[in-house]
Amino acid sequence: QIIYPAILEATIEEQVSNDNFWGIPFFSKGKTVKLETNKLKIDVKPLPNINKPTSFSGAVGDYKMSAKILENENYKVGEPIIFDVTISGVGNVNTINPPIFENTQNFRVYEPVEKVEVKKDENGLKGSKNFRIMIVPLVQGEQKVPNIKFSFFNFKTKKYVELAQKFDDINIQYNDKVETENIVEETKVDSKSRKSKIIKGDIRFIKTKTNLKLKNNLETIQFYKNISFWIIFFIPILFYVMINLVINFNKRKHKYNHKNKNINKQSSLFIKKLDKLQENIVKNRYKNRNRIGNTSYALNEIFEIFLEYLKNRFILDLNYHRNTISMFEIKKELAILKIDISIQNDIENFWNEIEYYKFTNYKIEKKEELLLIEKLKNLINKLIEIK
């Protein structure tokens, strides 16, 4: 990986006349100077697989975790229990995923509500991320509250750290306002056995033996032992299976062709957007463009087009704020889709280059914006070929 130079432009005072009687210059003018650091090459190593906790989801930094259950006098079946979990410390807290609950078989866990506070100083990023997580008990009786675990890779000690929070058991009361089917009521729980009974059910007895009697009652025919019965029975089934195989094959073929047409059409639309953006940059239409932090308007447009294309091309779930999206989440979804690792690396390299411009004080030039657009066009053309 390459760390591009940091550039500082400043105006210094330059004297243009001799000092007066008191030693103070009468006239001076400003001179612009440009300071630039060296370009650095760094070797980015992957995180080790040795001693990696099962609860690890990509967090790197130095964090601590606090967790508590918001007070509630009575816990009942079907009524929510709210956990307040805060992870804080040094690192990119935007990319922290929710902690993991253990032993949730008697509870239903819902997606958390997140709140992030981030600070940036000379030492890097630090802050906190708060999760409000709701779980709903499904079983009454004395229940073990699920433990919470969160792990991260500590960049100082070069080791994985797993944080855990345990809670006292709670008594879940019966709730006559909640109607559920097949609710299991714990009647006895100890270290050796667990007994339960079904409160409600909908399984009825089904007869498994059938005899067919002739009208004259002379004899009984067990038709399922007759080979003609099985021939007549299986012919319609085989015919039905074959028809469905043909129909499904034609559907898949049509879907494949339609998908390729859509991919080409969508890719063309995104390349047109990039062409339009390229034209605006060349004609200096963004000369007085607004900036968000260190990020130019054009760079934000490139990043938005990049994310939108990935979402449409691979049907990714990117319906969250772009500042909280992590490359870890995108690569995880691409891996599920079995996208080739070289393609994943190309996407990650482009992501890292955008991230560099966004989170450093480097002021991006017009030629660098145009170069990014060309790289994104080449990447889109390469992704079109993926089947």
mmCIF file of all heavy atoms in Angstrom, residues 61-101:
data_model
loop_
_atom_site.group_PDB
_atom_site.id
_atom_site.type_symbol
_atom_site.label_atom_id
_atom_site.label_comp_id
_atom_site.label_asym_id
_atom_site.label_seq_id
_atom_site.Cartn_x
_atom_site.Cartn_y
_atom_site.Cartn_z
ATOM 1 N N GLY A 61 -8.486 -2.145 17.459
ATOM 2 C CA GLY A 61 -8.299 -0.978 18.298
ATOM 3 C C GLY A 61 -7.967 -1.384 19.720
ATOM 4 O O GLY A 61 -7.389 -2.444 19.971
ATOM 5 N N ASP A 62 -8.350 -0.529 20.652
ATOM 6 C CA ASP A 62 -8.177 -0.816 22.081
ATOM 7 C C ASP A 62 -9.464 -0.377 22.775
ATOM 8 O O ASP A 62 -9.681 0.808 22.996
ATOM 9 C CB ASP A 62 -6.963 -0.054 22.623
ATOM 10 C CG ASP A 62 -6.649 -0.443 24.062
ATOM 11 O OD1 ASP A 62 -7.270 -1.394 24.568
ATOM 12 O OD2 ASP A 62 -5.797 0.218 24.680
ATOM 13 N N TYR A 63 -10.349 -1.321 23.085
ATOM 14 C CA TYR A 63 -11.698 -0.999 23.525
ATOM 15 C C TYR A 63 -12.003 -1.588 24.911
ATOM 16 O O TYR A 63 -11.334 -2.505 25.392
ATOM 17 C CB TYR A 63 -12.733 -1.546 22.535
ATOM 18 C CG TYR A 63 -12.592 -1.021 21.135
ATOM 19 C CD1 TYR A 63 -12.130 -1.841 20.106
ATOM 20 C CD2 TYR A 63 -12.916 0.304 20.832
ATOM 21 C CE1 TYR A 63 -11.996 -1.355 18.807
ATOM 22 C CE2 TYR A 63 -12.796 0.786 19.535
ATOM 23 C CZ TYR A 63 -12.334 -0.046 18.540
ATOM 24 O OH TYR A 63 -12.204 0.418 17.270
ATOM 25 N N LYS A 64 -13.046 -1.034 25.499
ATOM 26 C CA LYS A 64 -13.640 -1.608 26.700
ATOM 27 C C LYS A 64 -15.155 -1.627 26.512
ATOM 28 O O LYS A 64 -15.697 -0.856 25.710
ATOM 29 C CB LYS A 64 -13.259 -0.803 27.953
ATOM 30 C CG LYS A 64 -13.679 0.661 27.912
ATOM 31 C CD LYS A 64 -13.203 1.377 29.167
ATOM 32 C CE LYS A 64 -13.614 2.871 29.115
ATOM 33 N NZ LYS A 64 -13.168 3.597 30.334
ATOM 34 N N MET A 65 -15.827 -2.502 27.243
ATOM 35 C CA MET A 65 -17.272 -2.668 27.065
ATOM 36 C C MET A 65 -17.977 -2.581 28.411
ATOM 37 O O MET A 65 -17.504 -3.114 29.414
ATOM 38 C CB MET A 65 -17.575 -4.023 26.417
ATOM 39 C CG MET A 65 -19.073 -4.293 26.213
ATOM 40 S SD MET A 65 -19.413 -5.887 25.417
ATOM 41 C CE MET A 65 -18.970 -7.026 26.730
ATOM 42 N N SER A 66 -19.098 -1.867 28.416
ATOM 43 C CA SER A 66 -19.977 -1.848 29.587
ATOM 44 C C SER A 66 -21.385 -2.228 29.134
ATOM 45 O O SER A 66 -21.830 -1.814 28.067
ATOM 46 C CB SER A 66 -19.991 -0.458 30.238
ATOM 47 O OG SER A 66 -20.503 0.515 29.352
ATOM 48 N N ALA A 67 -22.067 -3.041 29.941
ATOM 49 C CA ALA A 67 -23.407 -3.502 29.565
ATOM 50 C C ALA A 67 -24.286 -3.598 30.805
ATOM 51 O O ALA A 67 -23.817 -3.959 31.886
ATOM 52 C CB ALA A 67 -23.327 -4.861 28.866
ATOM 53 N N LYS A 68 -25.550 -3.254 30.613
ATOM 54 C CA LYS A 68 -26.509 -3.356 31.710
ATOM 55 C C LYS A 68 -27.895 -3.584 31.146
ATOM 56 O O LYS A 68 -28.168 -3.309 29.965
ATOM 57 C CB LYS A 68 -26.493 -2.085 32.564
ATOM 58 C CG LYS A 68 -26.923 -0.830 31.807
ATOM 59 C CD LYS A 68 -26.873 0.413 32.708
ATOM 60 C CE LYS A 68 -27.303 1.664 31.928
ATOM 61 N NZ LYS A 68 -27.260 2.875 32.771
ATOM 62 N N ILE A 69 -28.787 -4.098 32.001
ATOM 63 C CA ILE A 69 -30.187 -4.269 31.634
ATOM 64 C C ILE A 69 -30.957 -3.095 32.210
ATOM 65 O O ILE A 69 -30.830 -2.780 33.398
ATOM 66 C CB ILE A 69 -30.752 -5.590 32.188
ATOM 67 C CG1 ILE A 69 -29.970 -6.779 31.629
ATOM 68 C CG2 ILE A 69 -32.227 -5.735 31.838
ATOM 69 C CD1 ILE A 69 -30.408 -8.112 32.191
ATOM 70 N N LEU A 70 -31.717 -2.414 31.368
ATOM 71 C CA LEU A 70 -32.527 -1.301 31.862
ATOM 72 C C LEU A 70 -33.570 -1.834 32.837
ATOM 73 O O LEU A 70 -34.198 -2.862 32.607
ATOM 74 C CB LEU A 70 -33.198 -0.567 30.693
ATOM 75 C CG LEU A 70 -32.235 0.068 29.676
ATOM 76 C CD1 LEU A 70 -33.013 0.870 28.659
ATOM 77 C CD2 LEU A 70 -31.206 0.953 30.366
ATOM 78 N N GLU A 71 -33.732 -1.125 33.931
ATOM 79 C CA GLU A 71 -34.555 -1.609 35.037
ATOM 80 C C GLU A 71 -35.983 -1.935 34.607
ATOM 81 O O GLU A 71 -36.608 -1.205 33.832
ATOM 82 C CB GLU A 71 -34.581 -0.570 36.159
ATOM 83 C CG GLU A 71 -33.246 -0.392 36.865
ATOM 84 C CD GLU A 71 -32.784 -1.663 37.550
ATOM 85 O OE1 GLU A 71 -33.655 -2.435 38.004
ATOM 86 O OE2 GLU A 71 -31.571 -1.900 37.617
ATOM 87 N N ASN A 72 -36.475 -3.054 35.132
ATOM 88 C CA ASN A 72 -37.851 -3.464 34.880
ATOM 89 C C ASN A 72 -38.300 -4.287 36.088
ATOM 90 O O ASN A 72 -37.617 -5.214 36.513
ATOM 91 C CB ASN A 72 -37.931 -4.299 33.599
ATOM 92 C CG ASN A 72 -39.357 -4.569 33.177
ATOM 93 O OD1 ASN A 72 -40.309 -4.209 33.882
ATOM 94 N ND2 ASN A 72 -39.515 -5.199 32.033
ATOM 95 N N GLU A 73 -39.442 -3.933 36.666
ATOM 96 C CA GLU A 73 -39.888 -4.610 37.885
ATOM 97 C C GLU A 73 -40.313 -6.047 37.619
ATOM 98 O O GLU A 73 -39.977 -6.963 38.374
ATOM 99 C CB GLU A 73 -41.053 -3.829 38.516
ATOM 100 C CG GLU A 73 -40.650 -2.451 39.029
ATOM 101 C CD GLU A 73 -41.814 -1.727 39.674
ATOM 102 O OE1 GLU A 73 -42.922 -2.292 39.684
ATOM 103 O OE2 GLU A 73 -41.612 -0.607 40.156
ATOM 104 N N ASN A 74 -41.054 -6.273 36.551
ATOM 105 C CA ASN A 74 -41.560 -7.613 36.246
ATOM 106 C C ASN A 74 -41.204 -7.984 34.815
ATOM 107 O O ASN A 74 -41.433 -7.213 33.883
ATOM 108 C CB ASN A 74 -43.090 -7.667 36.424
ATOM 109 C CG ASN A 74 -43.504 -7.384 37.857
ATOM 110 O OD1 ASN A 74 -42.949 -7.948 38.796
ATOM 111 N ND2 ASN A 74 -44.469 -6.495 38.038
ATOM 112 N N TYR A 75 -40.627 -9.175 34.662
ATOM 113 C CA TYR A 75 -40.311 -9.689 33.341
ATOM 114 C C TYR A 75 -41.363 -10.730 32.972
ATOM 115 O O TYR A 75 -41.603 -11.670 33.728
ATOM 116 C CB TYR A 75 -38.925 -10.324 33.329
ATOM 117 C CG TYR A 75 -37.823 -9.353 33.690
ATOM 118 C CD1 TYR A 75 -37.235 -9.376 34.956
ATOM 119 C CD2 TYR A 75 -37.360 -8.427 32.767
ATOM 120 C CE1 TYR A 75 -36.219 -8.495 35.287
ATOM 121 C CE2 TYR A 75 -36.348 -7.537 33.086
ATOM 122 C CZ TYR A 75 -35.782 -7.573 34.352
ATOM 123 O OH TYR A 75 -34.783 -6.699 34.672
ATOM 124 N N LYS A 76 -41.991 -10.534 31.795
ATOM 125 C CA LYS A 76 -43.055 -11.439 31.375
ATOM 126 C C LYS A 76 -42.774 -11.980 29.983
ATOM 127 O O LYS A 76 -42.047 -11.369 29.185
ATOM 128 C CB LYS A 76 -44.410 -10.719 31.376
ATOM 129 C CG LYS A 76 -44.890 -10.286 32.758
ATOM 130 C CD LYS A 76 -46.269 -9.661 32.677
ATOM 131 C CE LYS A 76 -46.793 -9.275 34.058
ATOM 132 N NZ LYS A 76 -48.152 -8.691 33.988
ATOM 133 N N VAL A 77 -43.387 -13.124 29.693
ATOM 134 C CA VAL A 77 -43.281 -13.726 28.368
ATOM 135 C C VAL A 77 -43.823 -12.750 27.318
ATOM 136 O O VAL A 77 -44.897 -12.190 27.471
ATOM 137 C CB VAL A 77 -44.065 -15.056 28.301
ATOM 138 C CG1 VAL A 77 -44.082 -15.600 26.867
ATOM 139 C CG2 VAL A 77 -43.454 -16.084 29.251
ATOM 140 N N GLY A 78 -43.071 -12.538 26.249
ATOM 141 C CA GLY A 78 -43.520 -11.688 25.149
ATOM 142 C C GLY A 78 -43.268 -10.208 25.345
ATOM 143 O O GLY A 78 -43.525 -9.427 24.433
ATOM 144 N N GLU A 79 -42.771 -9.795 26.516
ATOM 145 C CA GLU A 79 -42.495 -8.377 26.759
ATOM 146 C C GLU A 79 -40.988 -8.144 26.710
ATOM 147 O O GLU A 79 -40.199 -8.943 27.218
ATOM 148 C CB GLU A 79 -43.067 -7.944 28.110
ATOM 149 C CG GLU A 79 -44.591 -7.991 28.141
ATOM 150 C CD GLU A 79 -45.150 -7.413 29.428
ATOM 151 O OE1 GLU A 79 -44.357 -7.006 30.311
ATOM 152 O OE2 GLU A 79 -46.396 -7.375 29.565
ATOM 153 N N PRO A 80 -40.550 -7.020 26.084
ATOM 154 C CA PRO A 80 -39.123 -6.829 25.804
ATOM 155 C C PRO A 80 -38.277 -6.563 27.048
ATOM 156 O O PRO A 80 -38.729 -5.960 28.014
ATOM 157 C CB PRO A 80 -39.115 -5.617 24.875
ATOM 158 C CG PRO A 80 -40.356 -4.872 25.213
ATOM 159 C CD PRO A 80 -41.374 -5.914 25.570
ATOM 160 N N ILE A 81 -37.031 -7.031 26.967
ATOM 161 C CA ILE A 81 -35.984 -6.710 27.931
ATOM 162 C C ILE A 81 -34.926 -5.913 27.166
ATOM 163 O O ILE A 81 -34.445 -6.368 26.122
ATOM 164 C CB ILE A 81 -35.359 -7.982 28.540
ATOM 165 C CG1 ILE A 81 -36.442 -8.811 29.231
ATOM 166 C CG2 ILE A 81 -34.234 -7.634 29.510
ATOM 167 C CD1 ILE A 81 -35.954 -10.174 29.708
ATOM 168 N N ILE A 82 -34.590 -4.718 27.648
ATOM 169 C CA ILE A 82 -33.690 -3.817 26.927
ATOM 170 C C ILE A 82 -32.286 -3.872 27.531
ATOM 171 O O ILE A 82 -32.104 -3.666 28.732
ATOM 172 C CB ILE A 82 -34.205 -2.366 26.949
ATOM 173 C CG1 ILE A 82 -35.664 -2.305 26.471
ATOM 174 C CG2 ILE A 82 -33.311 -1.474 26.089
ATOM 175 C CD1 ILE A 82 -35.867 -2.752 25.048
ATOM 176 N N PHE A 83 -31.302 -4.158 26.684
ATOM 177 C CA PHE A 83 -29.900 -4.129 27.082
ATOM 178 C C PHE A 83 -29.266 -2.829 26.572
ATOM 179 O O PHE A 83 -29.476 -2.444 25.415
ATOM 180 C CB PHE A 83 -29.132 -5.313 26.496
ATOM 181 C CG PHE A 83 -29.461 -6.631 27.144
ATOM 182 C CD1 PHE A 83 -30.616 -7.319 26.799
ATOM 183 C CD2 PHE A 83 -28.630 -7.177 28.086
ATOM 184 C CE1 PHE A 83 -30.929 -8.536 27.381
ATOM 185 C CE2 PHE A 83 -28.925 -8.396 28.683
ATOM 186 C CZ PHE A 83 -30.074 -9.072 28.332
ATOM 187 N N ASP A 84 -28.503 -2.183 27.416
ATOM 188 C CA ASP A 84 -27.762 -0.978 27.041
ATOM 189 C C ASP A 84 -26.275 -1.335 27.054
ATOM 190 O O ASP A 84 -25.692 -1.567 28.115
ATOM 191 C CB ASP A 84 -28.046 0.157 28.023
ATOM 192 C CG ASP A 84 -27.412 1.460 27.589
ATOM 193 O OD1 ASP A 84 -28.048 2.193 26.828
ATOM 194 O OD2 ASP A 84 -26.265 1.735 28.017
ATOM 195 N N VAL A 85 -25.670 -1.406 25.861
ATOM 196 C CA VAL A 85 -24.272 -1.825 25.721
ATOM 197 C C VAL A 85 -23.481 -0.696 25.077
ATOM 198 O O VAL A 85 -23.886 -0.160 24.045
ATOM 199 C CB VAL A 85 -24.156 -3.101 24.857
ATOM 200 C CG1 VAL A 85 -22.709 -3.581 24.802
ATOM 201 C CG2 VAL A 85 -25.059 -4.198 25.386
ATOM 202 N N THR A 86 -22.349 -0.327 25.678
ATOM 203 C CA THR A 86 -21.479 0.717 25.141
ATOM 204 C C THR A 86 -20.076 0.159 24.981
ATOM 205 O O THR A 86 -19.512 -0.408 25.912
ATOM 206 C CB THR A 86 -21.449 1.944 26.062
ATOM 207 O OG1 THR A 86 -22.770 2.476 26.196
ATOM 208 C CG2 THR A 86 -20.538 3.023 25.470
ATOM 209 N N ILE A 87 -19.534 0.330 23.760
ATOM 210 C CA ILE A 87 -18.147 -0.049 23.468
ATOM 211 C C ILE A 87 -17.385 1.232 23.160
ATOM 212 O O ILE A 87 -17.793 2.003 22.282
ATOM 213 C CB ILE A 87 -18.083 -1.032 22.287
ATOM 214 C CG1 ILE A 87 -18.855 -2.307 22.631
ATOM 215 C CG2 ILE A 87 -16.637 -1.351 21.927
ATOM 216 C CD1 ILE A 87 -19.028 -3.249 21.467
ATOM 217 N N SER A 88 -16.308 1.488 23.885
ATOM 218 C CA SER A 88 -15.569 2.744 23.725
ATOM 219 C C SER A 88 -14.074 2.478 23.722
ATOM 220 O O SER A 88 -13.602 1.448 24.212
ATOM 221 C CB SER A 88 -15.933 3.712 24.851
ATOM 222 O OG SER A 88 -15.628 3.152 26.118
ATOM 223 N N GLY A 89 -13.323 3.429 23.160
ATOM 224 C CA GLY A 89 -11.873 3.310 23.154
ATOM 225 C C GLY A 89 -11.263 3.927 21.918
ATOM 226 O O GLY A 89 -11.869 4.759 21.242
ATOM 227 N N VAL A 90 -10.046 3.498 21.610
ATOM 228 C CA VAL A 90 -9.285 4.031 20.478
ATOM 229 C C VAL A 90 -9.464 3.104 19.282
ATOM 230 O O VAL A 90 -9.256 1.898 19.389
ATOM 231 C CB VAL A 90 -7.792 4.153 20.838
ATOM 232 C CG1 VAL A 90 -6.994 4.673 19.650
ATOM 233 C CG2 VAL A 90 -7.604 5.060 22.047
ATOM 234 N N GLY A 91 -9.851 3.689 18.153
ATOM 235 C CA GLY A 91 -10.067 2.903 16.940
ATOM 236 C C GLY A 91 -11.231 3.480 16.150
ATOM 237 O O GLY A 91 -11.875 4.454 16.566
ATOM 238 N N ASN A 92 -11.502 2.886 15.002
ATOM 239 C CA ASN A 92 -12.596 3.343 14.150
ATOM 240 C C ASN A 92 -13.905 2.733 14.655
ATOM 241 O O ASN A 92 -14.327 1.675 14.206
ATOM 242 C CB ASN A 92 -12.342 2.942 12.696
ATOM 243 C CG ASN A 92 -13.336 3.585 11.740
ATOM 244 O OD1 ASN A 92 -14.245 4.306 12.161
ATOM 245 N ND2 ASN A 92 -13.164 3.340 10.462
ATOM 246 N N VAL A 93 -14.546 3.409 15.610
ATOM 247 C CA VAL A 93 -15.752 2.862 16.242
ATOM 248 C C VAL A 93 -16.920 2.796 15.269
ATOM 249 O O VAL A 93 -17.902 2.088 15.518
ATOM 250 C CB VAL A 93 -16.138 3.689 17.498
ATOM 251 C CG1 VAL A 93 -15.081 3.570 18.571
ATOM 252 C CG2 VAL A 93 -16.379 5.147 17.144
ATOM 253 N N ASN A 94 -16.840 3.523 14.154
ATOM 254 C CA ASN A 94 -17.921 3.472 13.158
ATOM 255 C C ASN A 94 -18.137 2.061 12.632
ATOM 256 O O ASN A 94 -19.259 1.676 12.290
ATOM 257 C CB ASN A 94 -17.601 4.397 11.981
ATOM 258 C CG ASN A 94 -17.965 5.837 12.260
ATOM 259 O OD1 ASN A 94 -19.026 6.116 12.801
ATOM 260 N ND2 ASN A 94 -17.077 6.751 11.927
ATOM 261 N N THR A 95 -17.062 1.282 12.541
ATOM 262 C CA THR A 95 -17.140 -0.035 11.907
ATOM 263 C C THR A 95 -17.400 -1.167 12.906
ATOM 264 O O THR A 95 -17.422 -2.327 12.512
ATOM 265 C CB THR A 95 -15.830 -0.330 11.152
ATOM 266 O OG1 THR A 95 -14.733 -0.312 12.089
ATOM 267 C CG2 THR A 95 -15.571 0.717 10.080
ATOM 268 N N ILE A 96 -17.588 -0.834 14.182
ATOM 269 C CA ILE A 96 -17.820 -1.870 15.190
ATOM 270 C C ILE A 96 -19.208 -2.491 14.975
ATOM 271 O O ILE A 96 -20.203 -1.780 14.854
ATOM 272 C CB ILE A 96 -17.706 -1.292 16.616
ATOM 273 C CG1 ILE A 96 -16.258 -0.888 16.907
ATOM 274 C CG2 ILE A 96 -18.189 -2.300 17.650
ATOM 275 C CD1 ILE A 96 -16.073 -0.246 18.268
ATOM 276 N N ASN A 97 -19.252 -3.816 14.940
ATOM 277 C CA ASN A 97 -20.516 -4.541 14.819
ATOM 278 C C ASN A 97 -21.097 -4.821 16.206
ATOM 279 O O ASN A 97 -20.373 -4.795 17.205
ATOM 280 C CB ASN A 97 -20.307 -5.859 14.079
ATOM 281 C CG ASN A 97 -19.962 -5.628 12.620
ATOM 282 O OD1 ASN A 97 -20.587 -4.810 11.960
ATOM 283 N ND2 ASN A 97 -18.952 -6.321 12.130
ATOM 284 N N PRO A 98 -22.409 -5.076 16.287
ATOM 285 C CA PRO A 98 -23.021 -5.346 17.597
ATOM 286 C C PRO A 98 -22.392 -6.552 18.274
ATOM 287 O O PRO A 98 -21.932 -7.480 17.605
ATOM 288 C CB PRO A 98 -24.497 -5.621 17.244
ATOM 289 C CG PRO A 98 -24.699 -4.984 15.922
ATOM 290 C CD PRO A 98 -23.397 -5.079 15.200
ATOM 291 N N PRO A 99 -22.347 -6.544 19.605
ATOM 292 C CA PRO A 99 -21.828 -7.703 20.331
ATOM 293 C C PRO A 99 -22.717 -8.927 20.125
ATOM 294 O O PRO A 99 -23.861 -8.817 19.678
ATOM 295 C CB PRO A 99 -21.835 -7.240 21.796
ATOM 296 C CG PRO A 99 -22.872 -6.172 21.850
ATOM 297 C CD PRO A 99 -22.832 -5.490 20.518
ATOM 298 N N ILE A 100 -22.187 -10.088 20.480
ATOM 299 C CA ILE A 100 -22.886 -11.358 20.250
ATOM 300 C C ILE A 100 -23.523 -11.843 21.550
ATOM 301 O O ILE A 100 -22.912 -11.771 22.617
ATOM 302 C CB ILE A 100 -21.901 -12.412 19.715
ATOM 303 C CG1 ILE A 100 -21.430 -12.011 18.312
ATOM 304 C CG2 ILE A 100 -22.533 -13.793 19.680
ATOM 305 C CD1 ILE A 100 -20.363 -12.916 17.760
ATOM 306 N N PHE A 101 -24.772 -12.326 21.446
ATOM 307 C CA PHE A 101 -25.455 -12.954 22.578
ATOM 308 C C PHE A 101 -25.246 -14.463 22.515
ATOM 309 O O PHE A 101 -25.303 -15.064 21.446
ATOM 310 C CB PHE A 101 -26.955 -12.643 22.548
ATOM 311 C CG PHE A 101 -27.312 -11.282 23.061
ATOM 312 C CD1 PHE A 101 -27.324 -10.193 22.223
ATOM 313 C CD2 PHE A 101 -27.615 -11.078 24.397
ATOM 314 C CE1 PHE A 101 -27.643 -8.932 22.686
ATOM 315 C CE2 PHE A 101 -27.940 -9.826 24.877
ATOM 316 C CZ PHE A 101 -27.948 -8.750 24.022
#
